[in-house]
Amino acid sequence: MDVGKGRTTWFVGAGTSRYFFNYRHSADVYAFHKALRGLNVSERRIITWDGADIVGGPLNPSRGDVFIDPSSWESALKDDMIVQHRGDSVSLAVMKDTLLLKETSFQSMYGELTPVLPTGRDSKLVIFLSGHGGEEFFKFHDQEELDAVEMARIIMLMHLERKFDKLLLLIDTCQAATMAKYFEGLPSTFFVASSLLGENSYALQTHEGVGLSVVDRFSHRLYSLMLEKRKRPKLLSSLTSLFPYERLFSHVYSWYPSQNLSKNDLDIDKWFSSTPSEVTGSSSGHWEPWSSPIAPSAPVEVRQYRAADTAHFTPPKLSSSSSVMKDQFSVE
């Protein structure tokens, strides 16, 4: 079955770095989210993770806002936007469980109940990852790594569990193309990466209000192409031509199966077109983002956040101890 005939499309965006210094990795995901909403994708079909917790973080000079354009003060947040995980809750274990488990919810290592991805064998799935990485690895919070072998294994397990019909993986990190080293033979998997082996993935200019770069070059270009239909190519196979080296300082890489492709499989509009907001998963039934019913009569709160509400959070008090201050501001 080709990508144009799937019943539903689901989107996962994860910025996996920690510390406010890595603002851009989380902002890349908010840019991806904003572009999806601009394409009329329902909030119910987008799973968003903010590893650096930049929206309500105490170091954010504009708490409750996220800027994704170095020259603009327009916030990327929408009032109804939901952030499923933020801060320490963004982990490799939670990602695996979200993608692979079939139950309505699961209990993560932090104790909260989390809805699994309610996709089925006739669903399309787009996953966007932004963070630090290198040759054949992608980092979560600078504490654990997803390597290229495990990435291929997760995708194969998802296929065996009939969690998708077609999968598009987008990664913005240094040496991102190396994450596809073991993709040969993976069914129905498409991949776009921001950089080749030995190349870095670079940030765009600094935003004067934040004092940091607020987006990476690849992510910013992807965001622009998603919103400007007249500028983007018709086919995934032509996508790399619109990411010029002169803008990114790296070469964009794409990979897709060489056999059994239909024209719709490579059609970009089929991947990002809007579909009905009322959707069902093949095994999970209707997915309600604010509750995860273990039994019909026993709704259980799921730890998710309306992004706009984080502006009202009370920031934690910082200790004067040198060790704590170092932890707040340290970078790689």
Side-chain angles (χ1 to χ4, degrees), residues 172-187:
D172 191 348
T173 190
C174 296
Q175 307 192 70
T178 62
M179 291 299 291
K181 183 174 182 179
Y182 304 99
F183 279 13
E184 192 63 41
L186 285 182

Side-chain angles (χ1 to χ4, degrees), residues 263-277:
K263 184 177 180 179
N264 280 332
D265 289 338
L266 294 175
D267 189 327
I268 291 178
D269 289 338
K270 298 295 184 181
W271 284 98
F272 293 103
S273 62
S274 60
T275 52
S277 60

Side-chain angles (χ1 to χ4, degrees), residues 92-145:
L92 179 55
V94 169
M95 188 194 79
K96 288 180 180 179
D97 288 344
T98 300
L99 296 178
L100 292 171
L101 294 183
K102 288 185 174 182
E103 290 77 11
T104 304
S105 63
F106 67 91
Q107 190 169 18
S108 79
M109 61 188 294
Y110 295 98
E112 74 273 14
L113 288 170
T114 300
V116 302
L117 189 66
T119 54
R121 61 184 177 183
D122 54 357
S123 301
K124 301 192 299 290
L125 175 61
V126 180
I127 300 175
F128 172 76
L129 302 176
S130 177
H132 288 299
E135 185 175 353
E136 295 185 38
F137 68 87
F138 180 79
K139 291 184 178 181
F140 281 73
H141 274 201
D142 296 339
Q143 295 177 332
E144 53 185 352
E145 296 177 355

Side-chain angles (χ1 to χ4, degrees), residues 165-205:
D165 175 52
K166 294 289 188 296
L167 168 66
L168 172 60
L169 177 64
L170 307 163
I171 298 185
D172 191 348
T173 190
C174 296
Q175 307 192 70
T178 62
M179 291 299 291
K181 183 174 182 179
Y182 304 99
F183 279 13
E184 192 63 41
L186 285 182
S188 307
T189 302
F190 302 77
F191 178 62
V192 180
S194 62
S195 56
L196 299 178
L197 174 65
E199 293 182 342
N200 293 325
S201 190
Y202 290 99
L204 206 56
Q205 292 90 346

Side-chain angles (χ1 to χ4, degrees), residues 47-49 117 121 145 164 216 229-230 236 279 329:
I47 295 178
T48 301
W49 295 357
L117 189 66
R121 61 184 177 183
E145 296 177 355
F164 66 84
D216 285 297
K229 185 174 182 178
R230 61 185 177 84
L236 278 173
V279 294
F329 294 98

Side-chain angles (χ1 to χ4, degrees), residues 191-254:
F191 178 62
V192 180
S194 62
S195 56
L196 299 178
L197 174 65
E199 293 182 342
N200 293 325
S201 190
Y202 290 99
L204 206 56
Q205 292 90 346
T206 297
H207 190 286
E208 64 174 331
V210 178
L212 298 168
S213 173
V214 294
V215 71
D216 285 297
R217 291 174 178 266
F218 171 83
S219 293
H220 188 262
R221 184 61 173 162
L222 177 66
Y223 162 76
S224 299
L225 292 175
M226 288 173 67
L227 287 182
E228 299 180 36
K229 185 174 182 178
R230 61 185 177 84
K231 291 186 178 181
R232 67 175 181 256
K234 180 68 174 174
L235 302 176
L236 278 173
S237 54
S238 303
L239 191 63
T240 56
S241 65
L242 292 200
F243 288 86
Y245 180 87
E246 293 74 18
R247 285 194 180 193
L248 272 64
F249 308 131
S250 62
H251 295 90
V252 171
Y253 170 83
S254 63

Side-chain angles (χ1 to χ4, degrees), residues 53 55-59 63-64 86 308-318:
D53 189 15
V55 179
L59 299 182
R63 297 187 70 205
R86 61 182 194 161
D309 292 342
T310 60
H312 306 296
F313 289 175
T314 302
K317 294 181 179 180
L318 298 181

